[in-house]
Amino acid sequence: MSSESSKKRKPKVIRSDGAPSEGKRNRSDTEQEGKYYSEEAEVDLRDPGRDYELYKYTCQELQRLMAEIQDLKSRGGKDVAVEIEDRRIQSCVHFMTLKKLNRLAHIRLKKGRDQTHEAKQKVDAYHLQLQNLLYEVMHLQKEITKCLEFKSKHEEIDLVSLEEFYKEAPPDISKAEVTMGDPHQQTLARLDWELEQRKRLAEKYRECLSNKEKILKEIEVKKEYLSSLQPRLNSIMQASLPVQEYLFMPFDQAHKQYETARHLPPPLYVLFVQATAYGQACDKTLSVAIEGSVDEAKALFKPPEDSQDDESDSDAEEEQTTKRRRPTLGVQLDDKRKEMLKRHPLSVMLDLKCKDDSVLHLTFYYLMNLNIMTVKAKVTTATELITPISAGDLLSPDSVLSCLYPGDHGKKTPNPANQYQFDKVGILTLRDYVLDLGHPYLWVQKLGGLHFPKEQPQHTVIADHSLSASHMETTMKLLKTRVQSRLALHKQFASLEHGIVPVTSDCQYLFPAKVVSRLVKWVTIAHEDYMELHFTKDIVEAGLAEDTNLYYMALVERGTAKLQAAVVLNPGYSSIPPIFQLCLNWKGEKTNSNDDNIRAMESEVNVCYKELCGPRPSHQLLNQLRLCVLLDVYLETESHDDSVEGPKEFPQEKMCLRLFRGPSRMKPFKYNHPQGFFSHR
């Protein structure tokens, strides 16, 4: 039934090949346009919320009608078709409502998109206008900046008027006959006059500025004087000492130092007085100070308490000691040693400044029970030094002052009575304690006015001012020389470790222009290693290889020849020159025992060392370069074996007057630097 009814309701579509009449087409178009625009207008009038509620209601009704139709079809019956048709019609109505709502939703969406597009176009148009305006603003700013940055002399310089120019300027600058008719020349003349005026004003400005500085300095001095006047006047009310300070008399610090010096032991007091006097008279850079605890020094001179109190409490002390465990013999000896080696609480510090701003810090101590003085040293430089490996012991506190005077190693006590004191407490030698106590050099005792005669020992040694004063200046000069020589050695060792022999410009003339042999090795060696070398027996037997010396090994090479040099550096360098022992490995081993020329080479560097001193005695290690020169002469003057074919291994490049002399065929090792040739001595 439903299918038949639907077939009856299908509209008939009449297709014609010809186009419809114009009146009908126009009428249908206007009707459709009227319907479209009516729905579009209806969208503006309808509420979207209500349409949404209508949509939900319609969907619910459709679900209900479909469910009823399904129920009716399942039940069957005669009157079911009518009811189904009725509900179908209702469903169609609801479908029409849904279609209308769909159209309205699409219209709303289209309108929203159109509005968004229009707004976006407006924003894009405004943004484009903004970019154009910004570009124009930037262009205008650039143009304005160019205009502002344009500089011209006429704009920068405020020239005087023409009337003043021709009135005040001299004729050689104004040149009225030329400048009156030529504006360019007139401008140049005005600029010249402006320059002349500014020069005069600049000169006046400098004069006024100098006067201002002088006046300001005077004002500052007067201000300082006035600012210090009031507290000084207040201090005068309290004590009389600031009066001396105000009148440029000895300062309070010096007064305090002298007050502290009253508690010094006699040797340190003599050293303090004499060093202060020497600093004021001869060396303004020498600073003297006292360090330590004054209270402890005062406590040393307090009288002992009344013995009656001890006797009254003796019984109680005996009962306590019986309960305690008595110390062992070793502990008692340690306590006695500490008491024997006890230092005075106060010490004297001397800061000796050298020319290169290096400072030698000396701290003097006094051992009260041993009645000797000790010293500890420390060297500080203006710039931090890069310590080479071989220069490790040069500036060490243990060796920097060793042998300041010949034979004064500072390892033994200068007081003969100390040995008997050491035997009582089990001290073998003072050498084991010098690192903590300091070195008891002989010159330290003399600076403190102490003298220990060995022939006629005295029971009590009294500090003598005259003894200290007689040795003060010489010792201070030796200390400065020692520091400078050690610093010079420090720099030379840094070069020698890199195979470079340092030669100053004032010593270059002492050597030939071309030296082929090269220093390839410079290392420090131990005293035991030096003693075991077979070519150093002469030095060892002569007693010149002491354990206080410094030992080094140098290696000079040229081709297949290798020259070893064992160097003994005395702590008294540079007053005591270094000693070289040589061993040449070339066509066998050659030393001073089997080759006279090796002995002559050693004589050149050990005996004739003064030829290389030049203006700086601390550069005696230039013998390292002389070894290179001597090796060149030795190898180049060696006779060539005619049986061996080929070129000579070491061609002669040094100019020699005679290659050999005498039955021992000695070679010419002396270099005559003005003429540039080698000769025999």
Side-chain angles (χ1 to χ4, degrees), residues 419-594:
Q419 191 60 44
Y420 300 99
Q421 294 174 309
F422 291 162
D423 294 338
K424 293 180 180 180
V425 295
I427 297 177
L428 299 178
T429 177
L430 193 63
R431 181 191 295 264
D432 302 329
Y433 303 92
V434 292
L435 292 178
D436 297 329
L437 301 177
H439 294 266
Y441 297 110
L442 291 176
W443 58 268
V444 174
Q445 317 307 319
K446 293 179 181 179
L447 291 184
L450 298 177
H451 179 59
F452 303 97
K454 296 181 179 180
E455 297 179 355
Q456 296 179 356
Q458 299 178 1
H459 297 285
T460 57
V461 179
I462 301 175
D464 186 6
H465 283 269
S466 60
L467 179 63
S468 176
S470 62
H471 288 81
M472 182 64 67
E473 184 174 2
T474 305
T475 304
M476 292 300 163
K477 291 181 179 179
L478 288 176
L479 289 172
K480 285 188 176 182
T481 305
R482 171 61 62 86
V483 173
Q484 292 174 356
S485 62
R486 288 299 176 94
L487 292 175
L489 271 179
H490 195 282
K491 296 178 181 179
Q492 293 177 50
F493 283 178
S495 300
L496 292 177
E497 285 188 357
H498 292 83
I500 302 172
V501 181
V503 181
T504 57
S505 58
D506 49 6
C507 294
Q508 289 181 353
Y509 70 95
L510 299 173
F511 303 96
K514 184 177 182 182
V515 181
V516 183
S517 300
R518 289 292 178 264
L519 176 68
V520 297
K521 183 179 179 183
W522 173 266
V523 294
T524 180
I525 60 176
H527 175 244
E528 295 78 11
D529 297 337
Y530 183 88
M531 299 285 287
E532 293 176 1
L533 295 174
H534 63 280
F535 58 92
T536 60
K537 293 182 180 180
D538 297 340
I539 302 298
V540 175
E541 293 175 357
L544 299 177
E546 300 178 359
D547 57 350
T548 56
N549 296 335
L550 302 175
Y551 299 94
Y552 302 92
M553 179 65 73
L555 180 62
V556 181
E557 290 185 0
R558 178 179 178 182
T560 59
K562 296 182 179 180
L563 178 64
Q564 288 182 312
V567 185
V568 180
L569 192 65
N570 192 282
Y573 179 89
S574 62
S575 59
I576 301 176
I579 302 176
F580 292 76
Q581 288 293 104
L582 307 179
C583 178
L584 177 62
N585 293 315
W586 182 65
K587 294 181 180 181
E589 191 176 82
K590 302 177 182 180
T591 62
N592 57 4
S593 61
N594 57 13

Side-chain angles (χ1 to χ4, degrees), residues 113 224 288 296 342 354 500 528 588 631 646 651 660:
R113 289 178 177 175
E224 292 178 359
V288 186
E296 294 181 8
K342 187 177 180 181
C354 301
I500 302 172
E528 295 78 11
L631 182 59
F660 305 102

Side-chain angles (χ1 to χ4, degrees), residues 190-353:
R190 293 175 68 187
L191 291 173
D192 291 339
W193 174 238
E194 183 71 20
L195 178 62
E196 184 67 23
Q197 283 183 321
R198 293 194 177 189
K199 287 182 178 179
R200 296 177 183 175
L201 292 175
E203 186 66 25
K204 290 182 179 179
Y205 172 76
R206 285 192 291 270
E207 294 177 0
C208 295
L209 191 62
S210 62
N211 294 331
K212 179 184 176 181
E213 291 177 354
K214 292 180 181 178
I215 295 172
L216 287 175
K217 288 181 180 179
E218 293 177 359
I219 292 174
E220 289 295 330
V221 172
K222 292 181 180 180
K223 280 184 177 180
E224 292 178 359
Y225 177 78
L226 292 175
S227 61
S228 62
L229 182 60
Q230 183 63 36
R232 292 180 188 279
L233 291 175
N234 294 333
S235 61
I236 290 173
M237 300 291 293
Q238 299 175 0
S240 61
L241 290 177
V243 176
Q244 298 179 0
E245 183 180 358
Y246 179 71
L247 297 175
F248 303 102
M249 296 178 71
F251 297 98
D252 189 31
Q253 183 179 2
H255 179 74
K256 291 180 180 179
Q257 287 283 343
Y258 282 111
E259 287 293 327
T260 307
R262 294 172 53 190
H263 305 285
L264 288 172
L268 290 182
Y269 181 80
V270 171
L271 173 64
F272 175 80
V273 172
Q274 295 299 327
T276 305
Y278 174 79
Q280 294 176 355
C282 302
D283 190 358
K284 300 296 183 181
T285 61
L286 177 64
S287 63
V288 186
I290 300 175
E291 287 191 352
S293 176
V294 180
D295 296 333
E296 294 181 8
K298 292 180 179 178
L300 294 176
F301 297 94
K302 286 184 179 180
E305 296 180 356
D306 193 1
S307 60
Q308 294 180 356
D309 297 334
D310 296 336
E311 293 177 358
S312 62
D313 299 334
S314 60
D315 297 335
E317 291 180 359
E318 289 178 1
E319 292 178 0
Q320 292 180 358
T321 53
T322 53
K323 294 179 181 180
R324 297 176 185 173
R325 184 178 179 182
R326 293 184 178 180
T328 60
L329 181 61
V331 176
Q332 291 178 357
L333 285 177
D334 290 338
D335 295 337
K336 291 181 180 179
R337 289 170 189 158
K338 292 180 181 179
E339 184 66 24
M340 180 71 66
L341 302 176
K342 187 177 180 181
R343 296 186 301 199
H344 194 272
L346 297 179
S347 59
V348 177
M349 286 194 62
L350 300 184
D351 291 342
L352 194 61
K353 190 174 182 180

